[in-house]
Amino acid sequence: MTDADAATFIEVARSGDPARFALVTERHRRELQVQVHCYRMLANYEDAQDMTQETFLREWHKRESFKGHAAPRTWLYRIATNVCLDFLEKREDRTPQDCEVLYLQPYPDRMLPEDPQESVVARETIELAFIVAVQHLPPRQRAVFILRDVLGWPASKAADALELTVASVTSALQRARVTMRGRLPGRRLEWRGAELSKDERGVVKAYIEAHERNDLDGLAALLREDLRFAMLPEAGTTTTTAKDAVDGWVSGGLFRRGHDDWRGIATTVNRMPAAALYLRTPGEPEYRLFAIAVLRVEDGKIAELTGFDATGKPWLGLPAAL
């Protein structure tokens, strides 16, 4: 925001006019990416939506506390961070154990920044592996890491937002970085880039075609032998062989009658390649959205596959039927 924007913000905040206040804050809602910030904190799109709404509601109730000493952007992110921390206190029973983050949901790319300069940054810090790794940080450590290493705030500003000392913030950040290095895939730096690679596009296409042909061998050939697989929210992530993964899918009913008439469309979520799978059951005229498979591709093979139930999730922005 410019100085003029900040002055307008203060004037509107003090006016007590909810309609004007809503117009001013709505202008900056997408630019500030508050919902993405909440998503990084919570790993769940629906929870992030709710906490974004709570952020703007709390901003209205706290409007008179804004004195202009910090930028409105900083003030808003401070509120959003504390809204998420309050929520996480109530979600303690859902803290991930080992590698399980059962509440994880994908984030639709249409809600991410459109600025090409921000796309790479968004991909590095929005991919599922990053989001999952962040969830293994204690809530306040998680907030420090996101404010410092994702948003790029100086230690003093992060300390002020979280009501901590600069020394506490520095210590928390050091511990968070150690955890993140241990959780992120070793070759992560090699998959940077705003656009999908030729390999990624080709693997998604082949994955969809294997489903449409009921081709088990073709599906198995796409998988790396040390595949990491999860189908959420049913089970946590496991490392398995390609054969065991396919055998498990078959025993679960894949390609049996009623689960053998598939169509798919290529898409992206979390800046990652994905296949939206549609199933037509016997007697039905349409293919209904069934699941979305998010893929991490290395050397032309699927190294990680995270599947999500896609039914009843219009926020994904996918057609409900084909």
Side-chain angles (χ1 to χ4, degrees):
M1 292 185 183
T2 64
D3 289 343
D5 287 332
T8 300
F9 186 89
I10 294 171
E11 188 271 320
V12 172
R14 291 175 180 171
S15 73
D17 184 338
R20 288 183 67 200
F21 189 80
L23 284 172
V24 170
T25 53
E26 185 61 34
R27 280 179 52 206
H28 303 287
R29 181 186 296 242
R30 176 135 187 187
E31 174 200 343
L32 295 178
Q33 288 296 311
V34 172
Q35 187 162 306
V36 177
H37 178 61
C38 293
Y39 175 74
R40 289 188 180 109
M41 287 287 293
L42 307 175
N44 182 284
Y45 179 84
E46 291 164 321
D47 289 343
Q49 276 189 313
D50 291 344
M51 292 308 103
T52 300
Q53 292 301 107
E54 175 62 24
T55 294
F56 283 93
L57 182 64
R58 196 176 293 189
E59 181 191 37
W60 166 250
H61 289 308
K62 290 178 174 287
R63 65 193 183 280
E64 293 183 1
S65 70
F66 181 73
K67 306 299 183 185
H69 302 309
R73 175 189 182 96
T74 302
W75 185 62
L76 186 57
Y77 270 115
R78 176 189 297 178
I79 293 173
T81 302
N82 284 289
V83 163
C84 290
L85 288 173
D86 290 346
F87 177 81
L88 286 168
E89 281 186 15
K90 301 172 185 176
R91 202 175 75 175
E92 280 190 63
D93 61 326
R94 298 171 70 188
T95 299
Q97 300 298 319
D98 190 24
C99 59
E100 297 189 354
V101 183
L102 301 184
Y103 50 82
L104 178 68
Q105 289 181 332
Y107 197 94
D109 278 11
R110 61 191 174 85
M111 300 296 292
L112 291 171
E114 296 176 359
D115 184 343
Q117 293 300 315
E118 293 194 26
S119 296
V120 175
V121 175
R123 183 170 185 182
E124 290 176 4
T125 60
I126 204 69
E127 288 177 316
L128 291 181
F130 182 89
I131 297 299
V132 169
V134 167
Q135 299 308 297
H136 289 85
L137 300 175
R140 202 157 291 272
Q141 202 178 105
R142 185 184 315 177
V144 167
F145 178 79
I146 292 172
L147 292 176
R148 293 281 283 114
D149 277 8
V150 176
L151 296 183
W153 285 20
S156 57
K157 187 193 289 190
D160 183 53
L162 298 171
E163 298 182 341
L164 298 171
T165 65
V166 170
S168 295
V169 164
T170 301
S171 176
L173 180 61
Q174 289 172 345
R175 294 195 302 274
R177 285 172 173 169
V178 170
T179 300
M180 292 295 287
R181 279 195 295 269
R183 289 279 175 187
L184 288 172
R187 297 184 58 189
R188 181 171 175 269
L189 295 180
E190 296 180 21
W191 8 302
R192 288 180 178 173
E195 300 296 329
L196 297 188
S197 68
K198 182 179 178 181
D199 266 1
E200 288 173 321
R201 292 193 298 271
V203 168
V204 172
K205 182 173 183 290
Y207 181 84
I208 290 171
E209 290 174 348
H211 277 77
E212 293 178 343
R213 295 194 308 265
N214 289 199
D215 182 359
L216 285 173
D217 290 338
L219 190 56
L222 293 171
L223 308 177
R224 243 176 53 163
E225 274 308 303
D226 56 345
L227 173 74
R228 286 178 58 78
F229 168 69
M231 184 67 202
L232 300 174
E234 296 174 6
T237 304
T238 59
T239 301
T240 182
T241 66
K243 182 181 184 305
D244 286 346
V246 172
D247 286 348
W249 299 338
V250 170
S251 65
L254 181 65
F255 299 155
R256 292 182 184 174
R257 178 166 172 75
H259 281 79
D260 58 351
D261 193 358
W262 296 94
R263 290 292 179 270
I265 56 177
T267 185
T268 58
V269 294
N270 295 74
R271 300 281 192 215
M272 298 178 72
L277 297 173
Y278 291 75
L279 176 66
R280 183 169 67 177
T281 54
E284 290 294 321
E286 294 181 313
Y287 293 85
R288 295 284 176 181
L289 181 59
F290 183 81
I292 184 166
V294 186
L295 313 177
R296 182 164 67 84
V297 177
E298 287 186 9
D299 301 325
K301 296 273 191 177
I302 298 171
E304 190 164 337
L305 192 162
T306 309
F308 298 93
D309 178 5
T311 58
K313 294 180 176 60
W315 45 266
L316 285 169
L318 296 165
L322 299 179

